[in-house]
Amino acid sequence: MRKMVRNFLFLFFILCPLALAFSQNKKINATTISRIAIDADEFLGYDSFGYSYQIKNNVFSKMKGNESWEYKNISLGRIAKVDLQNPLKIVLFYEDFNTVILLDNQLNKITEINFSQNNIPIVVTFIGMSAQNQLWIYNALNQQIGLFDYLKNEYKTVSTPLTEPIKYYQTDFNTFYWIDKKNNWFSCDIFGKTTALGKTADFDKIEIINNHQYIFSKANLLYFTDNSHTNPDDVSEIEVLEKTFNKFYYKDQILSIFTAKEILNYKIVTP
C-alpha cells in the first residue's frame, strides 16, 4: 500500500508541473501587418471598407488614405460610446444628455434621439445598434435590456431586471452580451432569451468574439480563450511586441493594438 502511494505521489509531482507548463506555454503568434502613426485620444476600430475611426478632443473622425470626415457636437458634451457595426448608420451616444446621434457614411447627422423626451421614461446607460431599425438599450430606471425602434419612436423591454451591475457589455445586431461584476457572462437575443455563457477570466480589457470566445488583457498581456473547451483554464497568450497599450481591437483575424503614438495591426489565427 505504501509503495502504491509513493508511486502515485511520484507521478503526481512529475506530471502535474508538465501539464501546468504546457498550459502556460500555449502561444498564439501574431504577424505584423502594418504600423500606422496616429494622433488620437481613442482609436475605435475599422469598418468593412477599411476606414479607421477615432476621437480627438471629443471630435469623432473617419479616415482612409487622403479621405477624412469629422463630426462634433459641443452642446451634447462627451462622446461616451460609438457603435460602428453599420457604417451607413453610425451610433454616437452622449450619456450626459441621454441622447443618441445617428450619422451616415460621410458623418452627416441622420437623426437625433433624446430619450428624456420619450413617452416611456428611459435613462440609457448602455446602447448599441440592433437589427430592423432598432437600438439596444439598457434602461437604468428598470435595470432591463430593451429595444428602441428609432423610426417608429417605440420602446419595448425584452429582458427581466438584471440582478448584478454590468462590468462590460458588447452588442451585435442580434445579441446583447454583458459581463457582471462577478465575471459572469450572459447574452440576450432580440426575442428576450437570456443565456448564461459561463464565467470569464479576470480582465482589464476584453473583447467578445462570439458566444464562447473572447480576447482579454491582464497586466498588459493579451490572451485568447474559448469557453466551449472543457478546461476553463484553456488560455493562450497572444504574443505581440507592445509591452504597454491603451486599447486593442479584433475583427476577422486582424488584431489592432492602439498605443499613444500608433496603431499596430497583426494577423493572428485563433485555435
Side-chain angles (χ1 to χ4, degrees):
M1 182 67 179
R2 290 180 179 176
K3 185 176 181 181
M4 290 178 63
V5 171
R6 284 198 302 269
N7 289 340
F8 172 80
L9 291 174
F10 174 79
L11 290 172
F12 176 82
F13 286 112
I14 291 295
L15 296 177
C16 185
L18 290 175
L20 181 61
F22 178 78
S23 174
Q24 289 176 337
N25 289 330
K26 293 176 68 175
K27 304 285 187 180
I28 295 176
N29 293 323
T31 304
T32 305
I33 298 174
S34 61
R35 305 172 75 104
I36 303 169
I38 187 172
D39 180 22
D41 298 324
E42 183 179 3
F43 169 67
L44 301 167
Y46 297 99
D47 65 19
S48 54
F49 302 104
Y51 290 93
S52 67
Y53 297 83
Q54 45 275 316
I55 297 173
K56 175 73 172 179
N57 297 327
N58 208 40
V59 177
F60 175 66
S61 63
K62 169 182 177 178
M63 300 179 185
K64 185 173 78 169
N66 295 324
E67 299 178 85
S68 65
W69 293 270
E70 290 186 350
Y71 177 82
K72 60 181 177 180
N73 195 321
I74 300 172
S75 63
L76 292 177
R78 185 182 67 87
I79 301 171
K81 172 71 175 179
V82 179
D83 190 309
L84 303 172
Q85 287 186 85
N86 183 351
L88 302 179
K89 288 182 182 176
I90 298 168
V91 180
L92 297 191
F93 176 44
Y94 295 85
E95 186 175 6
D96 292 343
F97 285 81
N98 205 27
T99 295
V100 156
I101 303 289
L102 297 184
L103 304 176
D104 66 16
N105 63 335
Q106 296 186 349
L107 305 193
N108 299 307
K109 184 168 74 172
I110 300 172
T111 188
E112 180 174 333
I113 306 161
N114 186 337
F115 294 103
S116 300
Q117 298 174 352
N118 196 65
N119 294 330
I120 300 174
I122 304 172
V123 174
V124 179
T125 308
F126 309 120
I127 195 164
M129 179 62 74
S130 184
Q132 301 173 343
N133 301 314
Q134 297 181 113
L135 295 167
W136 285 109
I137 297 290
Y138 178 75
N139 188 354
L141 293 179
N142 58 15
Q143 298 180 319
Q144 290 175 284
I145 298 165
L147 289 166
F148 184 85
D149 189 315
Y150 51 82
L151 293 184
K152 298 179 181 178
N153 201 37
E154 294 177 351
Y155 172 71
K156 62 180 179 182
T157 296
V158 296
S159 79
T160 57
L162 275 57
T163 57
E164 292 287 340
I166 293 177
K167 178 180 179 179
Y168 174 83
Y169 82 103
Q170 190 175 313
T171 63
D172 59 34
F173 291 123
N174 298 308
T175 312
F176 186 107
Y177 296 102
W178 76 96
I179 300 167
D180 68 21
K181 293 291 186 180
K182 297 179 180 178
N183 290 336
N184 297 306
W185 181 16
F186 300 92
S187 69
C188 177
D189 66 19
I190 57 175
F191 304 107
K193 180 183 177 182
T194 299
T195 305
L197 300 176
K199 208 174 184 73
T200 68
D202 190 30
F203 61 89
D204 296 326
K205 298 180 178 67
I206 192 167
E207 185 158 337
I208 295 166
I209 300 173
N210 51 45
N211 62 4
H212 56 91
Q213 296 177 325
Y214 59 91
I215 294 174
F216 71 98
S217 66
K218 186 67 179 178
N220 279 311
L221 294 175
L222 277 170
Y223 303 92
F224 167 86
T225 192
D226 190 330
N227 268 14
S228 65
H229 294 170
T230 55
N231 180 6
D233 297 320
D234 191 4
V235 176
S236 302
E237 182 181 345
I238 304 172
E239 294 187 300
V240 296
L241 299 174
E242 293 68 44
K243 301 305 178 185
T244 60
F245 51 87
N246 298 333
K247 185 177 180 180
F248 66 90
Y249 173 81
Y250 175 82
K251 184 176 182 180
D252 300 331
Q253 296 188 328
I254 304 298
L255 176 67
S256 302
I257 306 293
F258 174 50
T259 71
K261 297 181 179 180
E262 60 185 353
I263 305 167
L264 294 100
N265 296 307
Y266 292 95
K267 172 77 172 181
I268 66 171
V269 178
T270 56

